[in-house]
Amino acid sequence: MLLNKFLKKLIQNDNIINDYTDTQVIINQGLAPIVALSNPSLTLQKADLLEQSKYINWQDKATVLFNQLDQNGIRFLVFKGFAYSYLLYDQKHIRPYSDIDILIDENDYKKTEKLFEELNYKRFPSRQGKFISYQNSFYHSDSSQTIIDLHWQINNRLEIHPYFQFTQLYQTSVEIKSPDFKFKSLNTIDAFLLACFHYHGHRPEDRKHIWLYDLALLWHDINTETQKECLKAAEIKQLSQIVDSLLSRLNKTFSLNIDLSQRKTSTSAVSYTHLRAHETGR
């Protein structure tokens, strides 16, 4: 399997991955395809093949869904796991995810839900969100494992909403194209900041190790000047403390040399580290 050089470096330098000895834990951490590269465990090899099979299913479903959203004039952004698999990983299946996260303008929600119904997606009645989670989950009637999380706010926390409005995110988004479909996703700065917030928004026992790979690859993907812009954006959006702690964690986990000296945390920045975004891990 071909991997880019930086991802190879992350795998080689990862000082935590060897602590996961139970195969089920490795799978739950989103690491099965990575560990299976060097581990002959039959369970992990099967898990890797399963991710490859799931990838094919996701591409089929995404082709229909994304094209229909476009044809119906519905603006949408894809973020988290599915988007990362295209943005950051040469081998798409190596980044497992359990659903596709889609963000839309709240004004388009009813139109989008009607389209989902026409495409045979059913809403989970027990996972509806109106004023708390700001998302609804849908599963395909022919494949209950095909789950779409439809968001009209980027995150469950009210404090972060003013800084990540759909219109602004869409205007500064990046377009990703495949042979069968195209979609827009968050630019790297927004993706990195939200990935940091998402990581800290979970209890330590609920965090997935693969999320650290996402963060390291996102940070590596931007040049020095853009990294400075990202740090400034973190300060403006009151996420500096979270970003600082994640950059430090990346250094420790992967033996990186991210320069933390350029950071001067604003004394007016609000700490979000105590907040827990009650959402399902991707």
Side-chain angles (χ1 to χ4, degrees):
M1 181 185 296
L2 296 176
L3 300 176
N4 68 54
K5 291 183 179 179
F6 187 67
L7 179 55
K8 284 183 179 179
K9 177 182 177 180
L10 294 179
I11 296 171
Q12 293 169 356
N13 292 354
D14 191 336
N15 57 40
I16 294 177
I17 198 168
N18 290 329
D19 293 341
Y20 299 122
T21 55
D22 183 273
T23 54
Q24 191 56 53
V25 172
I26 291 172
I27 293 170
N28 292 343
Q29 290 293 323
L31 298 171
I34 287 178
V35 177
L37 292 171
S38 58
N39 189 320
S41 163
L42 182 59
T43 300
L44 292 179
Q45 295 301 320
K46 287 182 177 179
D48 180 51
L49 289 173
L50 177 60
E51 290 302 331
Q52 294 182 46
S53 177
K54 288 166 62 178
Y55 166 74
I56 295 173
N57 173 65
W58 280 119
Q59 305 321 296
D60 291 342
K61 295 296 190 295
T63 298
V64 175
L65 180 58
F66 295 173
N67 288 335
Q68 284 295 313
L69 286 167
D70 274 336
Q71 291 175 23
N72 282 272
I74 299 172
R75 298 180 304 163
F76 67 100
L77 294 168
V78 182
F79 63 111
K80 293 185 184 178
F82 184 95
Y84 294 154
S85 72
Y86 275 87
L87 282 167
L88 306 174
Y89 298 88
D90 293 333
Q91 296 293 326
K92 307 294 183 289
H93 88 278
I94 207 170
R95 202 315 187 168
Y97 46 89
S98 58
D99 51 38
I100 297 180
D101 289 279
I102 295 178
L103 177 68
I104 60 169
D105 189 314
E106 185 174 2
N107 294 325
D108 288 331
Y109 179 82
K110 290 184 178 180
K111 182 179 180 180
T112 306
E113 184 175 45
K114 184 176 183 297
L115 176 62
F116 274 32
E117 291 173 355
E118 294 172 355
L119 296 176
N120 295 319
Y121 284 91
K122 310 295 183 183
R123 187 171 63 185
F124 281 104
S126 61
R127 297 173 65 177
Q128 297 182 52
K130 188 173 183 181
F131 301 113
I132 299 177
S133 64
Y134 303 99
Q135 69 183 67
N136 280 324
S137 298
F138 298 79
Y139 66 93
H140 197 276
S141 58
D142 294 334
S143 175
S144 60
Q145 299 304 310
T146 302
I147 300 173
I148 309 295
D149 275 358
L150 184 61
H151 303 251
W152 53 94
Q153 289 289 354
I154 196 70
N155 192 276
N156 299 342
R157 300 303 307 195
L158 289 170
E159 296 88 341
I160 205 171
H161 292 178
Y163 301 111
F164 295 95
Q165 293 292 314
F166 174 81
T167 299
Q168 181 182 10
L169 293 173
Y170 192 84
Q171 289 175 345
T172 59
S173 63
V174 296
E175 186 172 84
I176 298 171
K177 294 182 178 180
S178 82
D180 299 312
F181 57 78
K182 63 181 179 179
F183 64 91
K184 290 183 181 293
S185 188
L186 307 181
N187 67 63
T188 309
I189 290 178
D190 287 333
F192 182 79
L193 295 180
L194 285 163
C196 288
F197 188 83
H198 178 258
Y199 186 93
H200 268 279
H202 286 75
R203 296 175 300 174
E205 60 268 28
D206 293 332
R207 295 168 182 164
K208 295 183 184 298
H209 194 61
I210 192 66
W211 296 348
L212 293 179
Y213 279 83
D214 297 337
L215 284 161
L217 289 165
L218 282 166
W219 187 256
H220 178 74
D221 201 39
I222 54 180
N223 60 37
T224 302
E225 288 304 311
T226 308
Q227 288 174 355
K228 292 179 180 178
E229 290 179 26
C230 185
L231 295 177
K232 182 61 178 178
E235 187 172 350
I236 293 171
K237 299 176 189 293
Q238 303 181 353
L239 295 172
S240 292
Q241 293 185 32
I242 286 178
V243 169
D244 288 351
S245 68
L246 259 300
L247 291 176
S248 178
R249 183 180 290 270
L250 294 179
N251 276 343
K252 293 176 181 177
T253 302
F254 301 113
S255 300
L256 300 179
N257 294 306
I258 298 173
D259 183 11
L260 303 179
S261 63
Q262 58 183 319
R263 155 60 65 220
K264 293 183 179 180
T265 305
S266 170
T267 56
S268 62
V270 177
S271 172
Y272 279 59
T273 56
H274 67 288
L275 299 178
R276 297 293 174 225
H278 304 293
E279 53 188 27
T280 304
R282 301 297 182 260

